[in-house]
Structures are given as C-alpha cells and as structure tokens.
Amino acid sequence: MRLRQVLYGLCAVSLIIGTWGIVDRLRYGHQTAAYGSYVVWGLWVAMYLFFAGLAAGAFMVASLDLLFKIGVFRGIGRLALWVALVSLAAGLLQVWLDIGHMSRIWKVYLQANLGSVMAQMVWGYTLFGLLIAATLSLALWVPQSWAIRALMLVGLPLSLFVSGAVGALLGVQASRLFWHVGLFPVQFPVFSLATGVAAVMAAIAFFGPADDPRRGEQLRILAIATVALAVVKLYFLWADFSQSLYGNIPHNVEAVNAVLFGRYWWAFWIGQILVGTLVPVVILSWPGLAREEAWAGWMGVLVLAGLAVARANIVFPALAVPEIEALSTAFSGPHLTFDYFPSLMEWAVAVGIIGAAVLAFILGRDVVLQPRREVA
C-alpha cells in the first residue's frame, strides 16, 4: 500500500476523532479539559508552539530558494511555503480553541494594547500569514515577479520575530523561573528553524519530484543542518538546565527535576532525547543514508515528534510546580490540581487538527502546487 493512501486513511480517522473533540469543546467549553486554574495551559498550547515554530522555520527554508537563489534548492520554495501556511493555520486553530471566549478574537484587532506581547504576536502572525499567502500565490502564478524576493526580504525578519516572540511571551513571566532565564527566548528561533528543516526534509523525501536530480543533495544538506541544529539544541538544553540547577532556586530546580525524573520522565529521555534526537543524528550523519528518501523522510518525522514533545516539556513542568507551597492543598476541585495529563477531549482535538493539517498539505501538494518538471 502506498504511503499516500495510508496517510489518507489516517487523516480520515483523525478527522472523525477530531470532530468529536471539537463538538465537545464547543458544547461544553473547558469542562472536560484537564487543565484548570493552576495548570492553565495544556496540550493545545504546546501544539501551538510546535506548529507556529514549524511555520516560521519552513519560511526560513523557503528563503534558500526564493530569496537567496541557491541553485541546489531551486524549486523547494513553493513546497516550503505551503508547509508554512498549513502549519501556521494549524497552530492558530489550536490556540484559538484554548482561549476562554473564542468570539472575542476581534478585540485584539480593534481594541488592542500594542504594548502587550500577546497582542504583538497576534498582529505578527496575521501579517506573517498574509505574507506567506501572497508570496506563495506569486510563486505559483507569477514566478518571475520581483515582488517575490521583496516579500521574502520582509518575511525573513518577520519569521524571526514571530518565532522569538513566543519565547518572549513565556520569558517575561518573572514568577515562572523555569521560563525566566536569559537564554530562554533566544532558543526559540533555533527550535523553529530545526522544526522547519525537518518538516521540509520529510516533505521533499516523501512528496518531492522523483525525477529531480537535486533531490539527493537537497536531502543531504538538510540532514547536515538537522544534525547541526540538534547539537545546538542539546547545548541550549544543557546550558538551561545546568544554570537552573546551579542557581538552586527551589521553584526552578523542582521544575527541572520534574522534566528529568518526574512522572513523565520517559517523554523527555525516550521521546525527546532518544527517539527525537539521538537516533536521527546517528542515521543522518551517515552520508549514504541521508541521501535516501525513506531514511531522510522518517528521520524528519522522528525529529518532528521529538520537537513536539520538547514543546510539551517547556509548557507543562513550569506550570506543574506550585508558586505557593500550600496552594496545592488549600483548595480542592476537579480543575484545582497541579497533576496535569491531557484529557480525551484534548487529545481528540489535537489529533484532529494534525490530521487536517496533513490532509491539507497532501491535497495542496497534489492540486495547488504543480510538480516541478525542469531539470538542471
């Protein structure tokens, strides 16, 4: 059975599951969610961070073709922009379902406090989405237009802004010491680029034109970039955790220990480090394997899975540590707990949106994006 048929089947199942989750969310609000008054952000915010970072990173990769005109990457720009557009829509849908009053989204446009980091992010994402759509439209229908490079020139710093703004939104919260470290916001553009490179590598491996003589070299270069970015991420992780542990501030140490040795230690050591980092690094460091579509594609998928887990490990531990020690026993109730694990409804919504994003990518690849036929 071909991969595309398998993905269509998985997407159909995901959409059915996701429809049930979204109906539950719209009908009962946040009643069936596992987050609450203490752990206020859950799975959807983690997935929003993942998809928004992916969008920014894919745009950066597209600049190799559409802005810098690097020959070996010729033709990947449209594919990377489509990845960015679909990912941005998936990320914003995730976080929109997380907010309390979804119908009040208009207020951030008409009554915004532009001094707020969150308002700046919403405006940034809006401009970024419009810019991606405009650039992709020109790349599809007016590929020789000078405006493509002009839009990419504007979009590149904008992609850095929207990826770094997420880190700033978390980092400015001085009461959450796990996030309030100097290196924290700086890491997010690197995470975004790593996510975008892995996604585009998987997209080229599984859906790139089979007759393109540059395909093997494209995969090899993206594999090298993936390995290099993985090493940088590990360095950031070591610097972040060692700084927190040596600082010996109880709230911060407790959050780091929750990641390393807490209830979900396996998500960090197995999901993020072993499966999402070390295995891809070993495989992609082998030049012969990095050029092969199957190996490069599946390693890209593993890296993406590891980065999604990493986003969860950024959000959950910081919120799972009480800011006041007695708070955990002061009140009791279904949404007054620091022990968070996503509910069935949360998983259903996240799975449905992932399925919709993958389906949109495949349909767009087959219908909107025309396969490249020219050769070097």
Side-chain angles (χ1 to χ4, degrees), residues 70-74 76 212 214-215 217-218 221 372:
I70 299 176
V72 70
F73 290 111
R74 193 173 71 182
I76 72 164
D212 188 348
R214 293 181 290 260
R215 195 180 186 189
E217 190 63 12
Q218 290 169 355
I221 295 174
R372 190 181 53 179

Side-chain angles (χ1 to χ4, degrees), residues 326-371:
L327 192 59
S328 59
T329 56
F331 307 97
S332 62
H335 292 280
L336 296 174
T337 175
F338 289 92
D339 189 13
Y340 171 77
F341 188 78
S343 68
L344 194 60
M345 184 272 290
E346 291 176 70
W347 282 113
V349 170
V351 167
I353 292 176
I354 292 172
V358 174
L359 182 62
F361 168 76
I362 298 174
L363 292 175
R365 168 65 181 78
D366 293 344
V367 178
V368 180
L369 305 180
Q370 296 299 316

Side-chain angles (χ1 to χ4, degrees), residues 252-307:
N252 207 2
V253 171
E254 194 173 345
V256 173
N257 285 333
V259 176
L260 299 177
F261 313 112
R263 179 182 177 186
Y264 305 112
W265 62 268
W266 49 269
F268 175 76
W269 291 108
I270 299 177
Q272 181 177 340
I273 299 299
L274 178 61
V275 177
T277 303
L278 297 182
V279 171
V281 165
V282 171
I283 298 296
L284 294 176
S285 297
W286 200 286
L289 296 180
R291 291 176 180 272
E292 294 187 14
E293 291 85 1
W295 282 108
W298 285 113
M299 290 308 104
V301 172
L302 290 188
V303 171
L304 291 176
L307 287 166

Side-chain angles (χ1 to χ4, degrees), residues 23-46:
V23 169
D24 185 288
R25 164 65 182 86
L26 296 177
R27 186 173 182 181
Y28 300 109
H30 298 274
Q31 292 182 28
T32 56
Y35 51 77
S37 298
Y38 299 154
V39 180
V40 294
W41 289 341
L43 178 64
W44 299 339
V45 171

Side-chain angles (χ1 to χ4, degrees), residues 48 52-53 55-56 59 84-85 88-89 92 95 105 108-109 112-133 151 154-166:
Y48 146 69
F59 188 91
L85 192 60
L88 185 63
L92 296 182
V95 78
I105 186 65
V108 79
Y109 294 106
N113 172 15
L114 294 180
S116 162
V117 176
M118 189 168 289
Q120 295 169 14
M121 287 174 56
V122 173
W123 275 92
Y125 284 131
T126 304
L127 295 174
F128 188 49
L130 293 173
L131 188 141
I132 296 173
L151 289 173
V154 174
L156 195 56
L158 185 57
S159 67
L160 289 172
F161 169 76
V162 295
S163 59
V166 176

Side-chain angles (χ1 to χ4, degrees), residues 25-101:
R25 164 65 182 86
L26 296 177
R27 186 173 182 181
Y28 300 109
H30 298 274
Q31 292 182 28
T32 56
Y35 51 77
S37 298
Y38 299 154
V39 180
V40 294
W41 289 341
L43 178 64
W44 299 339
V45 171
M47 294 309 299
Y48 146 69
L49 296 179
F50 171 76
F51 277 115
L54 199 165
F59 188 91
M60 296 175 195
V61 176
S63 70
L64 298 176
D65 175 27
L66 300 176
L67 178 60
F68 299 111
K69 303 293 183 182
I70 299 176
V72 70
F73 290 111
R74 193 173 71 182
I76 72 164
R78 292 175 298 179
L79 185 67
L81 286 178
W82 184 242
V83 171
L85 192 60
V86 170
S87 303
L88 185 63
L92 296 182
L93 181 58
Q94 292 270 7
V95 78
W96 185 48
L97 289 165
D98 181 78
I99 62 178
H101 296 277

